[in-house]
């Protein structure tokens, strides 16, 4: 019997290795064999650029980095110190991942249009104030980029519809940042409602904040690295205040959300999350209410009505959440918690033959998968637009202080020029797209 150390066996081994080398040249070796489990070849990574590098963008940077499916190669912002900090964080992440002391792969741009001009960027993440969403998204679509845009989708209804139109025209994938659709408690709540476990839905209660107010902050000295005129962008000139554009040492969320020139108050900030779940549960992703009535002697709260008779109220008090009330029970959902009546419904397993909604466990991976498949993601642009519209018509009713009849098909108010004027806004000529 031959042993490992016999000359004949050594020859046989060498012959085998040589033959194996020849054979391997004709084999396709899985990438995980070459680079370890979970390895993604550089050619398979999706190159993304960030437009906006503030507090929200910092969280999104980590979320996309953790997918291991992207490479962040560029960022744009009008606030220089924030832009540089964001790029430094990206570069540090990649340096640590590669085991290197230095990495400088994230390019920076004061003007997002220069970022969009790069042919090697596949998709953009838009995390700028609401008054910029439509311009950035429309120009991104025209530049051939897929888009992840923070909620609420748009500052006005007509801008939202324009975002949908341009997305479809240029065949782009568009994910709205309504990440609650990828969380299990909200999916369970919606599937309980859709499958009739609380009977026929009668009312929906949405707990989110109040409408915005006109901008009224005092003028302050402007930071050197902030291009304030560019920050205002489509908007008319306003005085600078750091509550609108916090610096690196300010530990709070920017307050532009509170002012109607830049955002929609709590109605659109948290409303874009919670009204979104209400629309999802009611299977109204492609439509919306047919009327909205502000608080009056007959209505304690702002009240929406759908064509099927279901009413929905906006109730600013309480934790941000949604409550569906049916003829045989209720479903109340907030982040991290689902409460039902009967209580056992909380853990009810929805059967394979029952109604199921789009399944996503990771909002960012879902977007990337949609890019690869060229399909609509869980929070497609039309969905984001319809949710923002619900919030916006509520704000318009609050402002005008009277009932409004809304046509969700035509996306206009019935015989009401004053209300219809508020579905759009005047924009500086340079930014009319």
């Amino acid at each position: 019997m031959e042993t490992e150390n016999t000359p004949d066996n050594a020859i046989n081994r060498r012959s085998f290795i040589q033959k194996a080398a020849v054979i391997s040249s004709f084999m396709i070796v899985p990438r995980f064999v070459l680079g370890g489990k979970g390895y993604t070849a550089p050619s398979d990574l999706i190159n993304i650029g960030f437009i906006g590098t503030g507090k929200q963008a910092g969280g999104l940077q980590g979320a996309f980095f953790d997918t291991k499916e992207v490479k962040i190669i560029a960022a744009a912002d009008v606030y220089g110190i924030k832009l540089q900090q964001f790029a430094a964080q990206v570069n540090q992440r990649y340096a640590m991942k590669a085991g290197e002391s230095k990495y400088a792969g994230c390019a920076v741009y004061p003007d997002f249009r220069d970022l969009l001009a790069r042919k090697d960027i596949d998709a953009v993440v838009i995390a700028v104030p609401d008054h910029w969403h439509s311009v950035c998204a429309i120009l991104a679509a025209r530049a051939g980029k897929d888009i992840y845009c923070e909620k609420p989708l748009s500052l006005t209804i007509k801008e939202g519809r324009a975002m949908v139109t341009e997305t479809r025209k240029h065949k782009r994938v568009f994910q709205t940042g309504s990440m609650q659709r990828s969380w299990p408690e909200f999916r369970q709540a919606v599937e309980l409602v859709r499958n009739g476990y609380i009977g026929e839905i009668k009312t929906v209660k949405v707990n989110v904040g109040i409408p915005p107010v006109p901008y009224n902050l005092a003028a302050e000295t402007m930071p050197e690295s902030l291009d304030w005129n560019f920050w205002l962008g489509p908007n008319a000139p306003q005085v600078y205040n750091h509550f609108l554009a916090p610096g690196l040492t300010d530990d709070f969320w920017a307050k532009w959300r509170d002012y109607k020139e830049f955002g929609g108050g709590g109605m659109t900030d948290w409303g874009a999350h919670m009204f979104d779940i209400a629309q999802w549960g009611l299977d109204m992703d492609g439509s919306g209410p047919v009327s909205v009535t502000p608080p009056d002697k007959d209505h304690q709260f702002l009240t929406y009505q759908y064509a099927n008779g279901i009413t929905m109220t906006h109730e600013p008090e309480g934790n941000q959440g949604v409550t569906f009330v049916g003829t045989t029970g209720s479903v109340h959902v907030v982040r991290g918690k689902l409460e039902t009546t009967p209580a056992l419904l909380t853990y009810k397993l929805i059967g394979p033959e029952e109604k199921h909604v789009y399944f996503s466990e990771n909002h960012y991976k879902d977007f990337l998968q949609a890019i690869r498949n060229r399909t609509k993601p869980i929070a497609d642009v039309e969905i984001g637009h319809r949710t923002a519209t619900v919030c916006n018509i509520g704000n318009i009713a609050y402002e005008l202080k009277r009932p409004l009849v809304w046509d969700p098909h035509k996306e206009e108010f019935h015989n009401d020029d004053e209300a219809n004027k508020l579905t759009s806004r005047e924009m500086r000529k340079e930014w009319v797209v």
Side-chain angles (χ1 to χ4, degrees):
M1 183 177 71
E2 294 179 341
T3 67
E4 267 196 358
N5 296 321
T6 63
D8 287 343
N9 196 47
I11 293 172
N12 288 340
R13 287 204 314 276
R14 284 196 298 271
S15 177
F16 172 78
I17 291 170
Q18 290 169 352
K19 291 177 180 178
V22 174
I23 293 170
S24 68
S25 68
F26 296 98
M27 294 176 64
I28 299 174
V29 181
R31 288 195 180 91
F32 70 82
V33 173
L34 299 174
K37 186 177 181 181
Y39 171 76
T40 303
S43 60
D44 286 344
L45 293 174
I46 294 172
N47 288 338
I48 63 174
F50 271 73
I51 300 175
T53 60
K55 193 170 184 176
Q56 182 66 14
L60 290 170
Q61 177 195 135
F64 276 102
F65 182 85
D66 288 345
T67 67
K68 300 181 176 62
E69 297 179 31
V70 305
K71 190 169 185 180
I72 303 170
I73 64 172
D77 203 299
V78 300
Y79 206 152
I81 55 172
K82 289 185 178 181
L83 177 58
Q84 294 298 331
Q85 182 190 62
F86 181 92
Q89 290 170 343
V90 171
N91 290 334
Q92 184 180 29
R93 287 182 189 274
Y94 286 114
M96 292 179 64
K97 182 179 180 180
E100 300 174 356
S101 60
K102 195 173 182 180
Y103 175 87
C106 184
V108 295
Y109 299 95
D111 189 327
F112 73 94
R113 291 170 293 189
D114 294 328
L115 181 152
L116 292 178
R118 285 184 55 164
K119 301 299 184 184
D120 58 341
I121 292 178
D122 303 306
V124 293
V125 177
I126 298 174
V128 293
D130 297 354
H131 71 284
W132 263 112
H133 282 189
S134 65
V135 175
C136 292
I138 288 170
L139 292 180
R142 291 175 182 173
K145 314 304 181 188
D146 294 319
I147 301 159
Y148 183 104
C149 183
E150 267 305 321
K151 40 55 62 186
L153 194 72
S154 63
L155 188 65
T156 70
I157 295 165
K158 287 190 176 179
E159 287 173 73
R161 176 49 61 195
M163 292 166 78
V164 177
T165 299
E166 293 289 331
T167 297
R168 300 290 187 251
K169 178 180 178 181
H170 298 283
K171 297 179 172 58
R172 296 297 92 204
V173 172
F174 193 124
Q175 177 85 297
T176 310
S178 301
M179 72 286 188
Q180 289 180 170
R181 290 202 176 211
S182 296
W183 292 4
E185 64 271 31
F186 293 100
R187 182 171 57 251
Q188 174 75 353
V190 166
E191 291 189 346
L192 288 173
V193 170
R194 292 272 196 106
N195 283 286
Y197 281 102
I198 59 172
E200 183 182 354
I201 303 301
K202 293 297 184 181
T203 61
V204 184
K205 179 173 70 174
V206 177
N207 297 105
V208 294
I210 61 176
V213 298
Y215 183 54
N216 58 9
L217 295 179
E220 295 179 345
T221 302
M222 204 175 305
E224 289 184 6
S225 70
L226 172 63
D227 185 337
W228 182 242
N229 186 59
F230 207 157
W231 189 95
L232 289 170
N235 284 26
Q238 300 285 352
V239 299
Y240 162 79
N241 186 287
H242 79 288
F243 280 110
L244 291 184
L248 294 182
T249 60
D250 293 319
D251 189 24
F252 57 83
W253 290 99
K255 305 297 183 184
W256 51 260
R257 298 166 173 83
D258 299 338
Y259 302 100
K260 64 176 294 185
E261 292 82 356
F262 313 109
M267 273 291 285
T268 63
D269 186 35
W270 271 95
H273 285 306
M274 299 306 173
F275 282 111
D276 184 61
I277 300 304
Q279 285 269 107
W280 200 20
L282 297 177
D283 197 12
M284 286 288 172
D285 279 343
S287 186
V290 295
S291 71
V292 56
T293 303
D296 58 21
K297 60 183 180 63
D298 298 318
H299 301 84
Q300 182 181 359
F301 302 105
L302 180 119
T303 302
Y304 299 87
Q305 185 162 14
Y306 288 84
N308 58 12
I310 295 174
T311 59
M312 177 170 65
T313 55
H314 166 234
E315 304 185 20
E317 300 299 325
N319 294 331
Q320 286 89 354
V322 183
T323 305
F324 297 91
V325 180
T327 53
T328 62
S330 65
V331 170
H332 174 67
V333 62
V334 298
R335 291 187 177 181
K337 187 176 183 180
L338 177 63
E339 298 176 317
T340 63
T341 304
L344 290 177
L345 288 180
T346 300
Y347 308 102
K348 176 68 179 178
L349 181 65
I350 308 298
E353 302 303 317
E354 296 184 89
K355 295 177 183 178
H356 290 270
V357 294
Y358 185 124
F359 183 86
S360 166
E361 292 182 297
N362 185 303
H363 212 57
Y364 318 100
K365 282 180 173 287
D366 178 69
F367 172 52
L368 302 176
Q369 189 62 45
I371 289 176
R372 292 189 173 92
N373 294 341
R374 308 314 299 169
T375 53
K376 293 178 183 177
I378 189 169
D380 172 60
V381 61
E382 177 75 30
I383 292 172
H385 165 59
R386 292 292 184 168
T387 292
T389 295
V390 173
C391 303
N392 282 322
I393 65 174
N395 274 340
I396 292 170
Y398 272 123
E399 181 174 344
L400 297 180
K401 297 181 175 61
R402 54 182 169 79
L404 302 170
V405 178
W406 175 249
D407 185 331
H409 176 68
K410 294 181 179 179
E411 295 188 325
E412 63 183 28
F413 294 102
H414 182 64
N415 291 335
D416 198 322
D417 292 341
E418 185 180 20
N420 282 322
K421 186 177 180 180
L422 296 176
T423 63
S424 63
R425 59 172 171 147
E426 291 187 8
M427 300 172 70
R428 288 203 276 187
K429 187 176 180 180
E430 178 186 1
W431 298 111
V432 174
V433 295

